[in-house]
């Protein structure tokens, strides 16, 4: 865990200069990973929640929270019970807080500039088995993460003046019409209206979306869709 924390250049991660403190992120994670009792876990959590990955008093989250998410999940799985509870609490707080204008996204490994909340949700879903095993608290985190859905387009066909997009859905797209961001090759295109045509069957993530007033050629395979409202969240 410590090697993973040290491998991150926390000072290079963008964050509001008056609120984000990279040293708090690095030291807080270090101390939380080594915490051996509730007091040490609480002290580490205070650093992380006071300018490290979130600023709790102003309910702001920093892009560093998305980078820290897999590390916090490692701590939750491998660390002291008190460290686990602190890590999960920080993840919950980070998912619910809003970022400052200009610091709303984190660049993923594939170059996609993902909203901070969606990036955190992606890391949470990657540990579904672990979180489910924790019981109600872990399931609650996953339920919150589900609202930050992600859809990967695999194939599209024309459906009248609309397009039926088939692909893989992570999270839960509610009933009704929604706006979405489409990410492809570093470019973001806003889709003003889409609906869930066919939800995934149990045990599958394959789904079909109906994208209103869009041609199949405008929706290339491999493009990723995220909730537009997540990209608009600003503190």
């Amino acid at each position: 865990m410590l090697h993973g924390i040290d491998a991150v250049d926390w000072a290079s991660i963008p964050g509001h200069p008056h609120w984000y403190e990279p040293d708090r992120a690095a030291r807080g994670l270090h101390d939380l990973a080594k915490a051996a009792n509730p007091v040490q876990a609480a002290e580490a959590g205070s650093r992380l929640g006071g300018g490290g990955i979130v600023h709790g008093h102003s309910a702001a989250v920093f892009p560093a929270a998305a980078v820290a998410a897999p590390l916090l999940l490692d701590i939750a799985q491998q660390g002291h019970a008190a460290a686990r509870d602190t890590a999960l609490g920080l993840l919950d707080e980070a998912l619910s807080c809003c970022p400052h204008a200009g610091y709303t996204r984190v660049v993923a490994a594939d170059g996609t500039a993902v909203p901070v909340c969606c990036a955190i949700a992606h890391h949470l879903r990657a540990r579904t088995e672990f979180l489910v095993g924790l019981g109600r608290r872990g399931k609650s985190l996953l339920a919150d993460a589900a609202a930050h859905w992600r859809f990967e387009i695999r194939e599209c066909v024309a459906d009248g003046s609309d397009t039926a997009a088939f692909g893989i859905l992570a999270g839960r797209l509610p009933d009704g019409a929604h706006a979405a961001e489409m990410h492809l090759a570093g470019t973001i295109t806003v889709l003003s209206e889409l609906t869930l045509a066919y939800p995934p069957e149990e045990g599958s993530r394959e789904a079909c979306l109906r994208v209103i007033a869009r041609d199949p050629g405008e929706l290339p395979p491999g493009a990723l869709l995220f909730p537009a409202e997540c990209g608009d969240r600003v503190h």
Side-chain angles (χ1 to χ4, degrees), residues 7-116:
V8 177
D9 182 0
W10 298 98
S12 71
I13 301 173
H16 195 293
H18 298 306
W19 299 102
Y20 174 50
E21 299 181 52
D23 289 344
R24 280 181 172 264
R27 184 180 173 190
L29 286 167
H30 241 276
D31 290 350
L32 189 59
K34 295 187 294 183
N37 57 58
V39 172
Q40 292 174 349
E43 290 175 347
S46 180
R47 290 190 188 93
L48 291 165
I53 63 172
V54 296
H55 188 264
H57 291 303
S58 59
V61 62
F62 311 126
V67 180
L71 299 169
L72 287 169
L73 286 161
D74 286 343
I75 292 170
Q77 286 188 270
Q78 303 170 36
H80 188 277
R84 178 197 63 213
D85 292 342
T86 299
L88 295 177
L90 286 163
L91 287 164
D92 187 29
E93 187 174 7
L95 194 60
S96 61
C97 288
C98 291
H100 293 102
Y103 305 96
T104 61
R105 298 176 183 272
V106 61
V107 179
D110 61 0
T112 305
V114 180
V116 171

Side-chain angles (χ1 to χ4, degrees), residues 56-232:
H57 291 303
S58 59
V61 62
F62 311 126
V67 180
L71 299 169
L72 287 169
L73 286 161
D74 286 343
I75 292 170
Q77 286 188 270
Q78 303 170 36
H80 188 277
R84 178 197 63 213
D85 292 342
T86 299
L88 295 177
L90 286 163
L91 287 164
D92 187 29
E93 187 174 7
L95 194 60
S96 61
C97 288
C98 291
H100 293 102
Y103 305 96
T104 61
R105 298 176 183 272
V106 61
V107 179
D110 61 0
T112 305
V114 180
V116 171
C117 55
C118 292
I120 295 171
H122 180 67
H123 288 301
L124 289 169
R125 284 192 288 267
R127 308 292 181 99
T128 293
E129 185 176 354
F130 164 66
L131 292 172
V132 168
L134 294 178
R136 185 167 66 178
R137 186 170 193 185
K139 292 176 182 178
S140 177
L141 260 178
L142 287 170
D144 291 341
H148 306 274
W149 53 269
R150 165 185 174 138
F151 184 80
E152 180 182 353
I153 296 176
R154 295 288 178 84
E155 182 182 1
C156 291
V157 296
D159 186 3
S161 60
D162 306 327
T163 289
F166 299 89
I168 303 300
L169 177 65
R172 183 179 61 84
L173 178 60
D175 293 337
H178 305 275
E181 293 182 353
M182 181 175 70
H183 293 239
L184 182 69
T187 300
I188 299 175
T189 303
V190 176
L191 306 177
S192 59
E193 189 175 1
L194 57 79
T195 61
L196 181 61
Y198 302 107
E201 297 182 357
E202 187 173 354
S204 172
R205 293 196 297 141
E206 295 183 358
C208 176
L209 307 185
R210 184 183 184 91
V211 186
I212 309 302
R214 289 282 185 170
D215 183 87
E218 299 178 88
L219 306 168
L224 298 175
L225 308 186
F226 298 93
E229 61 185 302
C230 290
D232 294 336

